[in-house]
Amino acid sequence: MKITKNLALSESGFAFNGSTGDSFILNETATFILQKIKEGLSEKEILDLILKEYEVNSIQAEKDLHDFITQLKIFNLLEE
Amino acid sequence: MKIAVTGLNNTDNPGPGVPVIRSILAEKEFEGEIIGLHYDNLEPGIYMDGIKSRSYMIPYPSQGPEALLERLKYIHFREGLNVILPTLDSELYNFIYISNELEKLGIKTFLPTFDNLEKRSKDKLSEFCKSANIDTPKTFILNSQSQINEVLKTLKFPVVVKGIFYEAYICYSIDEIYSNFSKIVSKWGLPVLIQEYLVGDELNVAAVGDGEGNTLGAVAMRKLFITEKGKGWSGVTIKDDNLIEMTHKVIKALKWRSGLELEILKSRNDGKYYLLEINSRLPAWVYLTQASGQNLPYLLVKLALGESVKPYEDYEIGKMFVRCSIDLITDIKTYEKISINGEL
């Protein structure tokens, strides 16, 4: 997974896609995930970190993470 | 140095004059004065502080190039102008027509050519795009209402009905086409254009060409808020190589001289970029180009003066503009002066 070119993500959770002009407000978990994708971590590695960081069962976390990544693709925030 | 600038109509359908002036004044190396040229006594730029030293009324474009030249001779006699930057589409023909006379008077310009204007006109755009291998929505040029049914054999609803100069309506039925066709003809005359309606994001590029096919600067922007009149009230600079590549292609193919604005649609259906329009002047949002690192209006000043310029290669993305509407307070005495004397 690779974040789309020109995507700026701030610690406050504000993301700006400099290629399209779209901007997004992310919650804490979404910001955490996007930050980890930006650092080059795989989906599996991010899932492990979420399970360490948050009190959530693995099935739910995996499903939510997958859904979120799908959304990122829909909004063209991830490069294939 | 004295630079005269037109288009001080900073209304809800703003001319580019005030942002062009603000860009020039923002340039550190600029030393000189701005002289406003206005068509109407209520153009807000006349009354704004810190925009121009003096402003003079000039005749409307419909009065022709001779009337314009006579008035500019008087203004030049009073002011000693070095450069004139016209900023409105409708006045360009007259200014191009008298540009040699202005040069003889010592007034420099950097204008598009008649050929530039002709090839980018709305009724010639499809032909140009075909020759330059640029995508553009399917467009039909109609000289009579009787051609509408023929067009609808090719296009599906909705379609866009456009005037040759201004105005465009999205039409969902044949009745709407007929009604808007008549409305447009009564205002702008024939021909009327009927265009394929594409769904997508409208993006804009402001740029300057040197007349030899080279692009000297180009900044892309996406409108974030659009008024009922279709004007961008807020926008942000973006970096999309496809937009800049298309701009280089257009400027190269047309050998565009001067400033221009491209309106481009990125289709949500096929992801392609379609050229919608080429406006033959810098846009009203041009102050954003200066803020993002490319002072396109000042580039035109340097080109007019014949100075060598280095092409801009980059700009800052994420620079935003938000337009505002405020009430300027003046006195009836000021309005009296401008109404009686034609200058202030």
Side-chain angles (χ1 to χ4, degrees):
Chain A
M1 288 184 297
K2 200 177 160 197
I3 293 287
T4 193
K5 199 176 147 190
N6 295 327
L7 184 78
L9 175 67
S10 74
E11 283 177 11
S12 66
F14 186 84
F16 171 66
N17 185 347
S19 298
T20 63
D22 290 322
S23 56
F24 305 87
I25 296 169
L26 309 177
N27 67 16
E28 188 195 323
T29 324
T31 308
F32 175 82
I33 296 168
L34 205 55
Q35 191 57 50
K36 295 302 163 195
I37 296 173
K38 208 173 173 187
E39 287 168 18
L41 272 65
S42 69
E43 192 169 339
K44 173 75 177 63
E45 287 168 324
I46 295 169
L47 180 62
D48 291 343
L49 283 176
I50 290 171
L51 292 173
K52 264 191 214 166
E53 194 80 18
Y54 300 96
E55 282 182 22
V56 59
N57 74 60
S58 63
I59 295 170
Q60 187 65 46
E62 192 176 353
K63 183 185 169 298
D64 289 350
L65 176 62
H66 192 73
D67 284 351
F68 181 63
I69 288 170
T70 305
Q71 281 210 29
L72 291 178
K73 285 177 185 167
I74 291 169
F75 287 120
N76 294 317
L77 296 178
L78 282 187
E79 283 177 4
E80 293 300 329
Chain B
M1 181 166 40
K2 287 191 185 175
I3 300 173
V5 181
T6 67
L8 307 183
N9 51 323
N10 221 44
T11 61
D12 60 342
N13 181 11
V18 171
V20 162
I21 294 169
R22 291 182 73 210
S23 302
I24 295 168
L25 295 175
E27 186 65 42
K28 280 181 192 158
E29 69 176 52
F30 175 68
E31 285 178 8
E33 281 186 290
I34 301 292
I35 305 300
L37 301 175
H38 62 268
Y39 291 101
D40 189 283
N41 292 337
L42 284 175
E43 289 183 24
I46 304 169
Y47 302 94
M48 291 171 77
D49 286 334
I51 291 296
K52 47 77 196 147
S53 297
R54 284 163 296 285
S55 191
Y56 293 83
M57 183 176 250
I58 54 172
Y60 275 105
S62 56
Q63 292 183 42
E66 290 81 10
L68 176 65
L69 182 60
E70 281 312 305
R71 181 64 175 156
L72 290 176
K73 277 181 182 171
Y74 165 78
I75 298 166
H76 183 52
F77 171 73
R78 294 283 304 272
E79 297 288 350
L81 301 175
N82 298 98
V83 175
I84 296 183
L85 294 183
T87 66
L88 306 170
D89 297 288
S90 53
E91 64 190 7
L92 275 176
Y93 279 94
N94 284 347
F95 273 100
I96 297 170
Y97 197 82
I98 64 168
S99 58
N100 287 338
E101 293 299 319
L102 293 176
E103 179 77 36
K104 283 179 201 163
L105 293 169
I107 305 172
K108 310 284 185 187
T109 57
F110 195 75
L111 303 170
T113 62
F114 281 125
D115 186 57
N116 283 164
L117 296 189
E118 181 68 12
K119 284 183 179 154
R120 52 60 64 182
S121 64
K122 286 187 189 179
D123 55 335
K124 302 273 169 41
L125 189 66
S126 291
E127 205 178 304
F128 164 69
C129 286
K130 199 174 170 188
S131 68
N133 200 22
I134 292 170
D135 290 313
T136 191
K138 274 183 210 144
T139 306
F140 295 85
I141 299 149
L142 283 72
N143 284 299
S144 153
Q145 281 195 341
S146 63
Q147 294 169 288
I148 291 174
N149 282 326
E150 193 59 34
V151 168
L152 291 177
K153 286 179 187 169
T154 311
L155 295 185
K156 286 178 187 167
F157 283 108
V159 296
V160 185
V161 179
K162 293 171 100 168
I164 187 72
F165 297 116
Y166 299 104
E167 288 197 35
Y169 298 95
I170 300 166
C171 299
Y172 292 85
S173 70
I174 195 155
D175 291 341
E176 274 188 285
I177 296 179
Y178 273 101
S179 141
N180 288 313
F181 190 102
S182 304
K183 202 188 286 179
I184 286 171
V185 169
S186 65
K187 267 192 182 172
W188 307 112
L190 289 166
V192 170
L193 284 67
I194 299 191
Q195 196 170 65
E196 170 186 23
Y197 176 71
L198 297 173
V199 180
D201 296 315
E202 198 187 309
L203 308 163
N204 300 67
V205 182
V208 170
D210 68 353
E212 305 291 328
N214 304 305
T215 301
L216 299 175
V219 175
M221 181 274 293
R222 178 176 170 190
K223 290 174 185 171
L224 296 176
F225 183 82
I226 299 173
T227 66
E228 282 177 6
K229 287 189 176 175
K231 305 296 162 190
W233 205 254
S234 173
V236 63
T237 54
I238 57 170
K239 184 67 68 67
D240 180 334
D241 293 341
N242 294 291
L243 300 173
I244 302 302
E245 273 168 30
M246 187 187 280
T247 306
H248 281 255
K249 216 170 171 180
V250 167
I251 287 177
K252 191 175 179 188
L254 289 173
K255 290 197 171 173
W256 188 268
R257 189 174 188 274
S258 196
L260 84 168
E261 180 194 28
L262 301 187
E263 293 180 15
I264 300 165
L265 186 121
K266 184 183 179 187
S267 166
R268 277 185 210 150
N269 291 331
D270 58 17
K272 282 187 186 173
Y273 294 77
Y274 292 84
L275 182 59
L276 300 179
E277 272 183 33
I278 302 172
N279 296 317
S280 51
R281 37 87 196 138
L282 291 173
W285 57 269
V286 73
Y287 188 60
L288 184 70
T289 70
Q290 177 277 135
S292 65
Q294 295 197 10
N295 196 334
L296 300 185
Y298 197 68
L299 198 56
L300 286 185
V301 173
K302 292 180 91 168
L303 289 164
L305 291 169
E307 293 178 14
S308 64
V309 296
K310 205 175 149 198
Y312 285 114
E313 284 174 1
D314 207 2
Y315 57 91
E316 198 177 334
I317 56 174
K319 275 283 171 198
M320 263 182 79
F321 79 89
V322 181
R323 206 160 270 167
C324 77
S325 176
I326 57 165
D327 299 341
L328 297 172
I329 301 299
T330 186
D331 193 275
I332 195 69
K333 285 282 173 199
T334 308
Y335 182 62
E336 178 190 324
K337 271 185 205 163
I338 194 106
S339 302
I340 298 293
N341 302 327
E343 57 192 71
L344 186 69

